[in-house]
């Protein structure tokens, strides 16, 4: 889609997330606890989701002792709150779709908070399955403009990635893989000395809704309100913001 840059959008998103540090540790620690529990192991070498959660926590400057305690809580070796994962679906500005993943110890509180944030900022809650079909569950790696496309493609496809796409406007490289292949692709990039700007298992929109001007500002406020909730771990949207 012309008129926006995936690179610009993801840099914008990362910048906003980095600026909102107040509840970042809370979210990172909860993800480690859940990853250790549902992954069936407190050993990151045996649990790819836990390894990714620990990597993100380190990037967020979470102390080593805090990370270790979270792992022990997840495996039941330390007493802690029993968190569960819950997903909500909804709509934002201009018909843009939203998937809101939460980690919570109180579903009643969480759904009320999510519903309030949506209604206050012009969105509304959808039913289960109302928008999830518009997204693909996948692993995604984004490389900065100027990265060698041939090298990225060779390493990615050999490791099991599904697709490698270079943005014709900004030169950034997007690599997509099945979630089951994420760990292998990630390790292959590391071995080849290729460092993505972002790497995550995500819900990737199959079709994007371009927002600009007032609509873009309203949608950003809605996403910010959701991300500010302690129980919200990830917000995925089909909205992209026109930089012009």
């Amino acid at each position: 889609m012309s008129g926006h840059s995936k690179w610009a959008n993801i840099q914008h998103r990362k910048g906003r997330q980095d600026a909102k540090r107040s509840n970042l540790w809370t979210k990172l620690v909860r993800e480690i606890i859940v990853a250790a529990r549902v992954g069936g192991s407190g050993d990151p070498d045996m649990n790819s989701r836990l390894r990714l959660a620990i990597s993100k926590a380190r990037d967020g400057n979470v102390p080593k002792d805090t990370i270790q305690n979270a792992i022990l809580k997840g495996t039941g070796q330390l007493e802690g709150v029993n968190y569960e994962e819950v997903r909500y679906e909804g709509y934002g500005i201009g018909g843009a779709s939203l998937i809101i993943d939460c980690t919570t110890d109180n579903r009643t509180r969480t759904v009320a908070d999510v519903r309030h944030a949506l209604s206050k900022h012009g969105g509304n809650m959808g039913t289960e399955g109302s928008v999830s079909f518009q997204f693909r569950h996948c692993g995604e790696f984004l490389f900065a403009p100027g990265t060698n496309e041939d090298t990225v493609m060779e390493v990615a496809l050999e490791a099991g990635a599904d697709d490698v796409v270079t943005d014709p406007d900004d030169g950034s490289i997007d690599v997509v893989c099945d979630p089951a292949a994420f760990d292998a692709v990630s390790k292959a990039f590391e071995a080849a000395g290729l460092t993505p700007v972002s790497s995550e298992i995500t819900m990737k929109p199959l079709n994007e809704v371009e927002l600009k001007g007032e609509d873009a500002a309203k949608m950003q406020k809605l996403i910010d309100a959701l991300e500010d909730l302690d129980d919200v771990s990830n917000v995925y949207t089909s909205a992209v913001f026109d930089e012009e």
Side-chain angles (χ1 to χ4, degrees):
M1 178 184 294
S2 62
H4 76 272
S5 158
K6 181 178 181 63
W7 173 252
N9 270 267
I10 202 163
Q11 291 297 96
H12 174 74
R13 188 187 75 185
K14 284 172 64 67
R16 294 186 75 90
Q17 288 173 338
D18 289 345
K20 297 190 296 183
R21 292 287 175 176
S22 58
N23 60 356
L24 179 63
W25 281 17
T26 299
K27 297 173 188 285
L28 293 171
V29 167
R30 287 188 187 185
E31 171 58 18
I32 291 172
I33 293 171
V34 172
R37 189 183 80 241
V38 303
S41 172
D43 181 357
D45 290 334
M46 305 290 291
N47 183 339
S48 59
R49 177 172 173 180
L50 177 59
R51 183 161 57 253
L52 183 59
I54 291 172
S55 176
K56 287 183 177 180
R58 286 174 177 161
D59 289 344
N61 297 315
V62 177
K64 187 182 293 185
D65 288 349
T66 304
I67 292 173
Q68 187 58 37
N69 285 340
I71 295 171
L72 294 175
K73 288 175 181 177
T75 56
Q77 295 168 268
L78 270 183
E79 193 172 330
V81 177
N82 184 28
Y83 292 109
E84 62 175 324
E85 295 177 290
V86 60
R87 170 171 287 175
Y88 302 108
E89 301 177 34
Y91 301 92
I93 310 303
S97 302
L98 287 161
I99 290 181
I100 304 135
D101 282 349
C102 303
T103 308
T104 180
D105 60 343
N106 185 328
R107 280 187 177 227
T108 303
R109 177 195 67 223
T110 303
V111 70
D113 287 348
V114 169
R115 193 183 301 276
H116 176 72
L118 285 167
S119 61
K120 182 178 179 182
H121 295 280
N124 60 282
M125 188 83 85
T127 56
E128 183 177 351
S130 59
V131 304
S132 57
F133 69 93
Q134 300 175 30
F135 293 78
R136 176 188 175 186
H137 184 217
C138 62
E140 186 172 32
F141 303 81
L142 184 70
F143 289 89
T147 307
N148 188 293
E149 179 183 5
D150 291 340
T151 304
V152 170
M153 183 173 294
E154 181 181 349
V155 172
L157 297 180
E158 190 172 316
D162 297 328
D163 204 8
V164 180
V165 178
T166 300
D167 189 297
D169 296 321
D170 61 35
S172 61
I173 305 171
D174 193 30
V175 179
V176 178
C177 67
D178 187 88
F182 180 86
D183 202 39
V185 176
S186 181
K187 287 180 177 177
F189 283 144
E190 186 177 349
L194 295 166
T195 305
V197 171
S198 68
S199 59
E200 58 187 345
I201 294 177
T202 186
M203 296 296 287
K204 183 179 176 66
L206 299 177
N207 293 290
E208 296 175 334
V209 177
E210 184 178 339
L211 299 177
K212 57 181 70 176
E214 189 176 339
D215 282 349
K218 287 180 178 178
M219 188 65 180
Q220 188 64 69
K221 282 185 179 180
L222 170 56
I223 293 171
D224 285 346
L226 290 167
E227 290 182 339
D228 283 343
L229 299 174
D230 283 348
D231 293 345
V232 171
S233 50
N234 285 295
V235 178
Y236 306 106
T237 180
S238 62
V240 293
F241 302 105
D242 194 324
E243 293 296 299
E244 295 179 353

